[in-house]
Amino acid sequence: MLGIYVHIPFCESKCNYCAFASFVAKSELQKKYINFLLNEIKNCPHGGDKVDSIFIGGGTPSCIDKKYIKKILEAIKEKFDVIENAEITIESNPNSLNLEKLKFYRRIGINRLSMGVQSLNDKQLKQIGRLHNKKQVFEALKNAKKSGFKNISCDFLLGLEKSNFIKIKSMLKSVKNKVKHLSCYMLQVENGTKLEKMLQEKKIVLPDEEKTIKVYDKIVKYLKRHGFERYEISNFAKKGYQCLHNLKYWTRKNYIGFGLSAHSLYKNKRWANANDFENYFKGNKSYIETLTKDKIIEEIIMLGLRCEKGFSIKEIIKLGYDIIKNQNFNDYLKKNILIRNGDKIKINPKFYGVNNYIIANIL
Ligand code: SF4
């Protein structure tokens, strides 16, 4: 079944580390954007397909007028065959949520709430330019529960200043019984961000990557002890609460993205919308690519190794690539860096921290 992604590129302010397509914009631009977005959905040539997941992401979808969210869902339901009980997620920030808004989201069918928490230390939050504080996180979680949200996810950032396992563990401990899903991402210093400048000017000192990888390994064990299984490098879920939508990306299922910079994969064709407003409003794409066999093989290996399930050797061989002859692949198997379980190959969890390096060497 198809997944639908909708990009809302607006935020109340720009976080210091953010390199996503997100902008602080006036209400006129938001209105114009939503109209284009609704048209894009209406004119999609793949209408009628069965849909089992919708993900409204951003940016910060919870910061725009809630009536726009309703219109977007209506447009999707009119165009596609959205199944009953489809997973419908909205991304949010704690400071842009309140009880009334959350109840409204539930009423219009949203059943999964993803919240950008990042840290529960007010000093760290301020340093990375977040607008919320710890108190607002717990307020939002309380209101989400009151509104009837059962499927809640929180995002955390690893590698912030003065961060260590004890501190992160205590943050996770305070939310673990209130959520079903956790995402723990490594802080990346992206080019052109305020964070990069802060580092250059020595206004911030970040722990080195090796230290953060060690913290990550301990977090994996801690979360496992508390019922959160890792199913992708950065994602952990209680049984039955893996994010169906994100799984589509990692298992190469069809999905269509609407909105600025949104990506799509449909029957082995990938494309992405333009990532600036001018070109998006003209209907331009930033790329369109029909995937070759080699590219498909590469994707299956790369995405499979990010996930707990790994990839299937048979599938790769069926596509015409005899991976058994790949020298690096065999070396990794011998060294137990890759693990074979029947037909499936996955990375030894001890090496998740360096997965990019391993994948690059195989490919
Ligand atoms: S809220 Fe998210 S998308 Fe918006 S600026 Fe911050 S990190 Fe970027």
Side-chain angles (χ1 to χ4, degrees), residues 27-42:
S27 58
E28 297 89 70
L29 178 61
Q30 296 193 5
K31 197 174 168 192
K32 184 176 173 185
Y33 179 80
I34 299 296
N35 282 334
F36 267 79
L37 184 70
L38 294 174
N39 257 327
E40 198 194 347
I41 297 170
K42 204 170 136 196

mmCIF file with all atom_site columns, all heavy atoms in Angstrom, residues 27-42:
data_model
loop_
_atom_site.group_PDB
_atom_site.id
_atom_site.type_symbol
_atom_site.label_atom_id
_atom_site.label_alt_id
_atom_site.label_comp_id
_atom_site.label_asym_id
_atom_site.label_entity_id
_atom_site.label_seq_id
_atom_site.pdbx_PDB_ins_code
_atom_site.Cartn_x
_atom_site.Cartn_y
_atom_site.Cartn_z
_atom_site.occupancy
_atom_site.B_iso_or_equiv
_atom_site.pdbx_formal_charge
_atom_site.auth_seq_id
_atom_site.auth_comp_id
_atom_site.auth_asym_id
_atom_site.auth_atom_id
_atom_site.pdbx_PDB_model_num
ATOM 1   N N   . SER A 1 27 ? 1.766  34.835 7.315  1.00 0.00 ? 27 SER A N   1
ATOM 2   C CA  . SER A 1 27 ? 0.562  34.034 7.069  1.00 0.00 ? 27 SER A CA  1
ATOM 3   C C   . SER A 1 27 ? 0.134  34.031 5.590  1.00 0.00 ? 27 SER A C   1
ATOM 4   O O   . SER A 1 27 ? -0.423 33.055 5.119  1.00 0.00 ? 27 SER A O   1
ATOM 5   C CB  . SER A 1 27 ? -0.581 34.495 7.962  1.00 0.00 ? 27 SER A CB  1
ATOM 6   O OG  . SER A 1 27 ? -0.836 35.841 7.721  1.00 0.00 ? 27 SER A OG  1
ATOM 7   N N   . GLU A 1 28 ? 0.453  35.109 4.836  1.00 0.00 ? 28 GLU A N   1
ATOM 8   C CA  . GLU A 1 28 ? 0.064  35.128 3.405  1.00 0.00 ? 28 GLU A CA  1
ATOM 9   C C   . GLU A 1 28 ? 0.789  34.022 2.647  1.00 0.00 ? 28 GLU A C   1
ATOM 10  O O   . GLU A 1 28 ? 0.204  33.345 1.801  1.00 0.00 ? 28 GLU A O   1
ATOM 11  C CB  . GLU A 1 28 ? 0.409  36.470 2.713  1.00 0.00 ? 28 GLU A CB  1
ATOM 12  C CG  . GLU A 1 28 ? -0.296 37.688 3.254  1.00 0.00 ? 28 GLU A CG  1
ATOM 13  C CD  . GLU A 1 28 ? 0.484  38.315 4.389  1.00 0.00 ? 28 GLU A CD  1
ATOM 14  O OE1 . GLU A 1 28 ? 1.545  38.876 4.119  1.00 0.00 ? 28 GLU A OE1 1
ATOM 15  O OE2 . GLU A 1 28 ? 0.022  38.210 5.550  1.00 0.00 ? 28 GLU A OE2 1
ATOM 16  N N   . LEU A 1 29 ? 2.086  33.870 2.949  1.00 0.00 ? 29 LEU A N   1
ATOM 17  C CA  . LEU A 1 29 ? 2.849  32.834 2.253  1.00 0.00 ? 29 LEU A CA  1
ATOM 18  C C   . LEU A 1 29 ? 2.329  31.446 2.651  1.00 0.00 ? 29 LEU A C   1
ATOM 19  O O   . LEU A 1 29 ? 2.215  30.550 1.813  1.00 0.00 ? 29 LEU A O   1
ATOM 20  C CB  . LEU A 1 29 ? 4.352  32.951 2.570  1.00 0.00 ? 29 LEU A CB  1
ATOM 21  C CG  . LEU A 1 29 ? 5.245  31.874 1.933  1.00 0.00 ? 29 LEU A CG  1
ATOM 22  C CD1 . LEU A 1 29 ? 5.166  31.928 0.407  1.00 0.00 ? 29 LEU A CD1 1
ATOM 23  C CD2 . LEU A 1 29 ? 6.699  32.008 2.372  1.00 0.00 ? 29 LEU A CD2 1
ATOM 24  N N   . GLN A 1 30 ? 1.979  31.298 3.905  1.00 0.00 ? 30 GLN A N   1
ATOM 25  C CA  . GLN A 1 30 ? 1.456  29.999 4.368  1.00 0.00 ? 30 GLN A CA  1
ATOM 26  C C   . GLN A 1 30 ? 0.175  29.661 3.610  1.00 0.00 ? 30 GLN A C   1
ATOM 27  O O   . GLN A 1 30 ? -0.027 28.552 3.156  1.00 0.00 ? 30 GLN A O   1
ATOM 28  C CB  . GLN A 1 30 ? 1.188  30.042 5.868  1.00 0.00 ? 30 GLN A CB  1
ATOM 29  C CG  . GLN A 1 30 ? 2.452  30.254 6.678  1.00 0.00 ? 30 GLN A CG  1
ATOM 30  C CD  . GLN A 1 30 ? 2.265  29.988 8.153  1.00 0.00 ? 30 GLN A CD  1
ATOM 31  O OE1 . GLN A 1 30 ? 1.221  29.551 8.587  1.00 0.00 ? 30 GLN A OE1 1
ATOM 32  N NE2 . GLN A 1 30 ? 3.291  30.255 8.934  1.00 0.00 ? 30 GLN A NE2 1
ATOM 33  N N   . LYS A 1 31 ? -0.677 30.677 3.460  1.00 0.00 ? 31 LYS A N   1
ATOM 34  C CA  . LYS A 1 31 ? -1.956 30.476 2.764  1.00 0.00 ? 31 LYS A CA  1
ATOM 35  C C   . LYS A 1 31 ? -1.715 30.074 1.301  1.00 0.00 ? 31 LYS A C   1
ATOM 36  O O   . LYS A 1 31 ? -2.304 29.116 0.794  1.00 0.00 ? 31 LYS A O   1
ATOM 37  C CB  . LYS A 1 31 ? -2.756 31.781 2.836  1.00 0.00 ? 31 LYS A CB  1
ATOM 38  C CG  . LYS A 1 31 ? -4.209 31.615 2.528  1.00 0.00 ? 31 LYS A CG  1
ATOM 39  C CD  . LYS A 1 31 ? -4.944 32.892 2.770  1.00 0.00 ? 31 LYS A CD  1
ATOM 40  C CE  . LYS A 1 31 ? -6.337 32.773 2.169  1.00 0.00 ? 31 LYS A CE  1
ATOM 41  N NZ  . LYS A 1 31 ? -7.004 34.061 2.125  1.00 0.00 ? 31 LYS A NZ  1
ATOM 42  N N   . LYS A 1 32 ? -0.827 30.821 0.662  1.00 0.00 ? 32 LYS A N   1
ATOM 43  C CA  . LYS A 1 32 ? -0.518 30.539 -0.751 1.00 0.00 ? 32 LYS A CA  1
ATOM 44  C C   . LYS A 1 32 ? 0.047  29.113 -0.877 1.00 0.00 ? 32 LYS A C   1
ATOM 45  O O   . LYS A 1 32 ? -0.326 28.357 -1.775 1.00 0.00 ? 32 LYS A O   1
ATOM 46  C CB  . LYS A 1 32 ? 0.518  31.565 -1.241 1.00 0.00 ? 32 LYS A CB  1
ATOM 47  C CG  . LYS A 1 32 ? 0.857  31.436 -2.703 1.00 0.00 ? 32 LYS A CG  1
ATOM 48  C CD  . LYS A 1 32 ? 1.804  32.535 -3.155 1.00 0.00 ? 32 LYS A CD  1
ATOM 49  C CE  . LYS A 1 32 ? 2.259  32.265 -4.585 1.00 0.00 ? 32 LYS A CE  1
ATOM 50  N NZ  . LYS A 1 32 ? 3.258  33.192 -5.062 1.00 0.00 ? 32 LYS A NZ  1
ATOM 51  N N   . TYR A 1 33 ? 0.935  28.775 0.040  1.00 0.00 ? 33 TYR A N   1
ATOM 52  C CA  . TYR A 1 33 ? 1.570  27.453 0.005  1.00 0.00 ? 33 TYR A CA  1
ATOM 53  C C   . TYR A 1 33 ? 0.527  26.338 0.147  1.00 0.00 ? 33 TYR A C   1
ATOM 54  O O   . TYR A 1 33 ? 0.533  25.370 -0.619 1.00 0.00 ? 33 TYR A O   1
ATOM 55  C CB  . TYR A 1 33 ? 2.613  27.358 1.135  1.00 0.00 ? 33 TYR A CB  1
ATOM 56  C CG  . TYR A 1 33 ? 3.294  26.015 1.193  1.00 0.00 ? 33 TYR A CG  1
ATOM 57  C CD1 . TYR A 1 33 ? 4.342  25.701 0.333  1.00 0.00 ? 33 TYR A CD1 1
ATOM 58  C CD2 . TYR A 1 33 ? 2.880  25.038 2.101  1.00 0.00 ? 33 TYR A CD2 1
ATOM 59  C CE1 . TYR A 1 33 ? 4.960  24.467 0.378  1.00 0.00 ? 33 TYR A CE1 1
ATOM 60  C CE2 . TYR A 1 33 ? 3.492  23.798 2.151  1.00 0.00 ? 33 TYR A CE2 1
ATOM 61  C CZ  . TYR A 1 33 ? 4.527  23.517 1.287  1.00 0.00 ? 33 TYR A CZ  1
ATOM 62  O OH  . TYR A 1 33 ? 5.132  22.286 1.319  1.00 0.00 ? 33 TYR A OH  1
ATOM 63  N N   . ILE A 1 34 ? -0.364 26.503 1.110  1.00 0.00 ? 34 ILE A N   1
ATOM 64  C CA  . ILE A 1 34 ? -1.367 25.450 1.334  1.00 0.00 ? 34 ILE A CA  1
ATOM 65  C C   . ILE A 1 34 ? -2.248 25.291 0.097  1.00 0.00 ? 34 ILE A C   1
ATOM 66  O O   . ILE A 1 34 ? -2.579 24.171 -0.309 1.00 0.00 ? 34 ILE A O   1
ATOM 67  C CB  . ILE A 1 34 ? -2.219 25.751 2.599  1.00 0.00 ? 34 ILE A CB  1
ATOM 68  C CG1 . ILE A 1 34 ? -1.336 25.802 3.849  1.00 0.00 ? 34 ILE A CG1 1
ATOM 69  C CG2 . ILE A 1 34 ? -3.357 24.719 2.770  1.00 0.00 ? 34 ILE A CG2 1
ATOM 70  C CD1 . ILE A 1 34 ? -0.636 24.507 4.238  1.00 0.00 ? 34 ILE A CD1 1
ATOM 71  N N   . ASN A 1 35 ? -2.580 26.396 -0.549 1.00 0.00 ? 35 ASN A N   1
ATOM 72  C CA  . ASN A 1 35 ? -3.386 26.287 -1.768 1.00 0.00 ? 35 ASN A CA  1
ATOM 73  C C   . ASN A 1 35 ? -2.662 25.500 -2.859 1.00 0.00 ? 35 ASN A C   1
ATOM 74  O O   . ASN A 1 35 ? -3.252 24.662 -3.534 1.00 0.00 ? 35 ASN A O   1
ATOM 75  C CB  . ASN A 1 35 ? -3.748 27.686 -2.296 1.00 0.00 ? 35 ASN A CB  1
ATOM 76  C CG  . ASN A 1 35 ? -4.879 28.270 -1.473 1.00 0.00 ? 35 ASN A CG  1
ATOM 77  O OD1 . ASN A 1 35 ? -5.674 27.526 -0.881 1.00 0.00 ? 35 ASN A OD1 1
ATOM 78  N ND2 . ASN A 1 35 ? -4.949 29.585 -1.387 1.00 0.00 ? 35 ASN A ND2 1
ATOM 79  N N   . PHE A 1 36 ? -1.361 25.770 -3.009 1.00 0.00 ? 36 PHE A N   1
ATOM 80  C CA  . PHE A 1 36 ? -0.577 25.015 -3.994 1.00 0.00 ? 36 PHE A CA  1
ATOM 81  C C   . PHE A 1 36 ? -0.528 23.532 -3.629 1.00 0.00 ? 36 PHE A C   1
ATOM 82  O O   . PHE A 1 36 ? -0.665 22.654 -4.475 1.00 0.00 ? 36 PHE A O   1
ATOM 83  C CB  . PHE A 1 36 ? 0.848  25.574 -4.097 1.00 0.00 ? 36 PHE A CB  1
ATOM 84  C CG  . PHE A 1 36 ? 0.985  26.606 -5.170 1.00 0.00 ? 36 PHE A CG  1
ATOM 85  C CD1 . PHE A 1 36 ? 0.555  27.908 -4.970 1.00 0.00 ? 36 PHE A CD1 1
ATOM 86  C CD2 . PHE A 1 36 ? 1.521  26.273 -6.401 1.00 0.00 ? 36 PHE A CD2 1
ATOM 87  C CE1 . PHE A 1 36 ? 0.656  28.867 -5.964 1.00 0.00 ? 36 PHE A CE1 1
ATOM 88  C CE2 . PHE A 1 36 ? 1.624  27.217 -7.414 1.00 0.00 ? 36 PHE A CE2 1
ATOM 89  C CZ  . PHE A 1 36 ? 1.199  28.514 -7.195 1.00 0.00 ? 36 PHE A CZ  1
ATOM 90  N N   . LEU A 1 37 ? -0.324 23.317 -2.349 1.00 0.00 ? 37 LEU A N   1
ATOM 91  C CA  . LEU A 1 37 ? -0.222 21.942 -1.854 1.00 0.00 ? 37 LEU A CA  1
ATOM 92  C C   . LEU A 1 37 ? -1.519 21.170 -2.128 1.00 0.00 ? 37 LEU A C   1
ATOM 93  O O   . LEU A 1 37 ? -1.502 20.028 -2.607 1.00 0.00 ? 37 LEU A O   1
ATOM 94  C CB  . LEU A 1 37 ? 0.063  22.007 -0.344 1.00 0.00 ? 37 LEU A CB  1
ATOM 95  C CG  . LEU A 1 37 ? 0.304  20.723 0.395  1.00 0.00 ? 37 LEU A CG  1
ATOM 96  C CD1 . LEU A 1 37 ? 1.639  20.123 -0.026 1.00 0.00 ? 37 LEU A CD1 1
ATOM 97  C CD2 . LEU A 1 37 ? 0.336  20.976 1.897  1.00 0.00 ? 37 LEU A CD2 1
ATOM 98  N N   . LEU A 1 38 ? -2.643 21.814 -1.853 1.00 0.00 ? 38 LEU A N   1
ATOM 99  C CA  . LEU A 1 38 ? -3.943 21.156 -2.077 1.00 0.00 ? 38 LEU A CA  1
ATOM 100 C C   . LEU A 1 38 ? -4.128 20.833 -3.561 1.00 0.00 ? 38 LEU A C   1
ATOM 101 O O   . LEU A 1 38 ? -4.618 19.775 -3.929 1.00 0.00 ? 38 LEU A O   1
ATOM 102 C CB  . LEU A 1 38 ? -5.086 22.032 -1.568 1.00 0.00 ? 38 LEU A CB  1
ATOM 103 C CG  . LEU A 1 38 ? -5.115 22.252 -0.045 1.00 0.00 ? 38 LEU A CG  1
ATOM 104 C CD1 . LEU A 1 38 ? -6.201 23.254 0.343  1.00 0.00 ? 38 LEU A CD1 1
ATOM 105 C CD2 . LEU A 1 38 ? -5.332 20.942 0.702  1.00 0.00 ? 38 LEU A CD2 1
ATOM 106 N N   . ASN A 1 39 ? -3.663 21.752 -4.393 1.00 0.00 ? 39 ASN A N   1
ATOM 107 C CA  . ASN A 1 39 ? -3.744 21.519 -5.841 1.00 0.00 ? 39 ASN A CA  1
ATOM 108 C C   . ASN A 1 39 ? -2.852 20.377 -6.278 1.00 0.00 ? 39 ASN A C   1
ATOM 109 O O   . ASN A 1 39 ? -3.217 19.582 -7.144 1.00 0.00 ? 39 ASN A O   1
ATOM 110 C CB  . ASN A 1 39 ? -3.291 22.785 -6.582 1.00 0.00 ? 39 ASN A CB  1
ATOM 111 C CG  . ASN A 1 39 ? -4.496 23.514 -7.099 1.00 0.00 ? 39 ASN A CG  1
ATOM 112 O OD1 . ASN A 1 39 ? -5.493 22.900 -7.466 1.00 0.00 ? 39 ASN A OD1 1
ATOM 113 N ND2 . ASN A 1 39 ? -4.417 24.832 -7.117 1.00 0.00 ? 39 ASN A ND2 1
ATOM 114 N N   . GLU A 1 40 ? -1.684 20.341 -5.677 1.00 0.00 ? 40 GLU A N   1
ATOM 115 C CA  . GLU A 1 40 ? -0.739 19.274 -6.020 1.00 0.00 ? 40 GLU A CA  1
ATOM 116 C C   . GLU A 1 40 ? -1.363 17.906 -5.691 1.00 0.00 ? 40 GLU A C   1
ATOM 117 O O   . GLU A 1 40 ? -1.254 16.966 -6.476 1.00 0.00 ? 40 GLU A O   1
ATOM 118 C CB  . GLU A 1 40 ? 0.558  19.475 -5.219 1.00 0.00 ? 40 GLU A CB  1
ATOM 119 C CG  . GLU A 1 40 ? 1.741  18.719 -5.785 1.00 0.00 ? 40 GLU A CG  1
ATOM 120 C CD  . GLU A 1 40 ? 2.911  18.635 -4.818 1.00 0.00 ? 40 GLU A CD  1
ATOM 121 O OE1 . GLU A 1 40 ? 2.925  19.349 -3.794 1.00 0.00 ? 40 GLU A OE1 1
ATOM 122 O OE2 . GLU A 1 40 ? 3.810  17.824 -5.090 1.00 0.00 ? 40 GLU A OE2 1
ATOM 123 N N   . ILE A 1 41 ? -2.012 17.840 -4.536 1.00 0.00 ? 41 ILE A N   1
ATOM 124 C CA  . ILE A 1 41 ? -2.657 16.572 -4.145 1.00 0.00 ? 41 ILE A CA  1
ATOM 125 C C   . ILE A 1 41 ? -3.780 16.250 -5.139 1.00 0.00 ? 41 ILE A C   1
ATOM 126 O O   . ILE A 1 41 ? -3.891 15.133 -5.655 1.00 0.00 ? 41 ILE A O   1
ATOM 127 C CB  . ILE A 1 41 ? -3.204 16.664 -2.698 1.00 0.00 ? 41 ILE A CB  1
ATOM 128 C CG1 . ILE A 1 41 ? -2.052 16.877 -1.709 1.00 0.00 ? 41 ILE A CG1 1
ATOM 129 C CG2 . ILE A 1 41 ? -4.012 15.414 -2.330 1.00 0.00 ? 41 ILE A CG2 1
ATOM 130 C CD1 . ILE A 1 41 ? -2.458 17.224 -0.282 1.00 0.00 ? 41 ILE A CD1 1
ATOM 131 N N   . LYS A 1 42 ? -4.574 17.268 -5.426 1.00 0.00 ? 42 LYS A N   1
ATOM 132 C CA  . LYS A 1 42 ? -5.725 17.085 -6.321 1.00 0.00 ? 42 LYS A CA  1
ATOM 133 C C   . LYS A 1 42 ? -5.288 16.578 -7.705 1.00 0.00 ? 42 LYS A C   1
ATOM 134 O O   . LYS A 1 42 ? -5.963 15.761 -8.327 1.00 0.00 ? 42 LYS A O   1
ATOM 135 C CB  . LYS A 1 42 ? -6.435 18.441 -6.455 1.00 0.00 ? 42 LYS A CB  1
ATOM 136 C CG  . LYS A 1 42 ? -7.889 18.342 -6.826 1.00 0.00 ? 42 LYS A CG  1
ATOM 137 C CD  . LYS A 1 42 ? -8.534 19.693 -6.687 1.00 0.00 ? 42 LYS A CD  1
ATOM 138 C CE  . LYS A 1 42 ? -9.408 19.954 -7.888 1.00 0.00 ? 42 LYS A CE  1
ATOM 139 N NZ  . LYS A 1 42 ? -9.773 21.362 -8.010 1.00 0.00 ? 42 LYS A NZ  1
#
